[in-house]
């Protein structure tokens, strides 16, 4: 849209409604949802259980600083510029370069000061949100409760300082968003910890939370999901094992100046 063109009344109404006004905790999907909630929320929580935000939690918990970066070969060039190590794809790991988008691998890889961690979903969303200056928190099943409690202690969750919870989702071969079980459950786990915030939950957030209430065994649901089965059948069951450990971590990775570190 041209900067000089004014929004029509219909466009202005839609822009206001898409931000889920009047609630303290809101929910949406993917890069577009993050952009919408990023306009109106005081903080964004990005959830990409298999595997970006789980990898961030593991790496930050071991003392590494994580630089989110969109998926692509330029990650290695960026890592050189900032003096970091660039993570590679799971199948490109070697004994000399064990850092990848694998929480299991990152659990045992040597600790480096700075790690560039590219991914097509959670990392791209985090990088885009960071460029706007908005605080961004990485959440997963492992630290969902800790993230929720930290947000409340910081005073987020009012209608004046709302929280936007973003389920990253996966992608279909054509690049379109594929909503995923693991990210909906991860986001719902954060929203569960936010129940009772002063501003309440938006309808979208409440409906996402309802998925958690109807899932008696979250680890089993993630293991049996499309994404969980894809990783397991591809030889990366260890990544699923790490990701489905619910509320085992107090680490809250906060994105400051383009880098995730412990809040």
């Amino acid at each position: 849209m041209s900067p000089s063109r004014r929004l029509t009344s219909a466009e202005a109404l839609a822009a206001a409604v898409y931000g889920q006004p009047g609630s303290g905790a809101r929910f949406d999907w993917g890069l577009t949802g993050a952009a919408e909630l990023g306009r109106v929320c005081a903080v964004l929580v990005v959830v990409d259980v298999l595997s970006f935000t789980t990898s961030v939690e593991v790496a930050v918990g071991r003392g590494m600083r994580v630089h989110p970066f969109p998926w692509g070969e330029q990650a290695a060039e960026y890592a050189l510029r900032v003096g970091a190590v660039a993570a590679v794809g799971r199948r490109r790991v070697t004994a000399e370069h064990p850092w990848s988008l694998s929480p299991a691998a990152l659990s045992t890889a040597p600790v480096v000061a700075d790690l560039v961690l590219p991914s097509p979903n959670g990392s791209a969303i985090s990088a885009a949100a960071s460029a706007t200056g908005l605080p961004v928190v990485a959440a997963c099943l492992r630290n969902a409760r800790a993230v929720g409690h930290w947000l409340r202690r910081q005073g987020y969750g009012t209608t004046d300082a709302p929280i936007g919870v973003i389920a990253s989702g996966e992608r279909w071969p054509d690049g379109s968003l594929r909503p995923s079980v693991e990210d909906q459950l991860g986001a719902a786990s954060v929203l569960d910890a936010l129940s009772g915030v002063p501003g309440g939950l938006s309808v979208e957030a409440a409906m996402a939370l309802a998925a958690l209430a109807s899932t008696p065994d979250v680890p089993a649901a993630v293991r049996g999901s499309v994404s969980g089965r894809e990783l397991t059948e591809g030889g990366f069951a260890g990544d699923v094992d790490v990701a489905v450990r619910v509320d085992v971590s107090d680490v809250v990775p906060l994105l400051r100046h383009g880098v995730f570190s412990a809040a």
Side-chain angles (χ1 to χ4, degrees):
M1 184 181 72
S2 168
S4 62
R5 186 175 81 80
R6 293 185 178 181
L7 292 175
T8 67
S9 58
E11 288 171 335
L13 176 61
V17 170
Y18 292 155
Q20 303 169 33
S23 53
R26 310 171 188 190
F27 170 79
D28 216 316
W29 283 94
L31 188 61
T32 303
E36 284 295 327
L37 292 189
R39 294 187 303 102
V40 294
C41 287
V43 61
L44 287 186
V45 180
V46 176
V47 181
D48 186 351
V49 170
L50 296 175
S51 299
F52 174 73
T53 54
T54 299
S55 296
V56 171
E57 182 275 325
V58 168
V60 169
R62 299 186 67 209
M64 294 184 249
R65 289 161 34 99
V66 177
H67 302 243
F69 199 84
W71 192 252
E73 295 301 321
Q74 293 180 336
E77 299 174 10
Y78 173 76
L80 283 174
R81 291 202 306 271
V82 299
V85 171
V88 297
R90 285 181 174 89
R91 298 189 184 281
R92 295 176 58 193
V93 166
T94 64
E96 294 75 26
H97 198 102
W99 304 277
S100 76
L101 188 66
S102 162
L106 289 178
S107 297
T108 58
V111 172
V112 294
D114 289 87
L115 179 70
V116 174
L117 191 61
S119 89
N121 302 307
S123 191
I125 292 169
S126 298
S130 175
T132 69
L134 197 67
V136 179
V137 178
C140 58
L141 291 171
R142 296 168 59 87
N143 70 345
R145 190 157 300 280
V147 166
H149 290 171
W150 181 85
L151 290 165
R152 297 176 73 143
R153 288 196 303 272
Q154 301 305 307
Y156 295 116
T158 66
T159 54
D160 291 330
I163 302 161
V165 180
I166 304 298
S168 297
E170 300 291 343
R171 293 180 184 270
W172 290 109
D174 67 359
S176 60
L177 173 71
R178 176 174 68 79
S180 59
V181 167
E182 69 278 6
D183 291 346
Q184 180 163 1
L185 291 174
S189 297
V190 175
L191 291 166
D192 185 44
L194 294 174
S195 295
V197 292
L201 304 183
S202 69
V203 171
E204 288 75 13
M207 294 305 294
L209 180 56
L212 184 65
S214 63
T215 307
D217 190 337
V218 169
V222 174
R223 292 182 194 277
S225 70
V226 169
S227 301
R229 292 172 61 187
E230 180 182 27
L231 279 177
T232 298
E233 293 172 12
F236 298 100
D239 287 342
V240 183
D241 291 339
V242 173
V244 299
R245 296 172 189 167
V246 177
D247 291 329
V248 297
S249 172
D250 291 327
V251 175
V252 178
L254 176 64
L255 190 60
R256 306 181 188 92
H257 308 297
V259 182
F260 280 110
S261 57

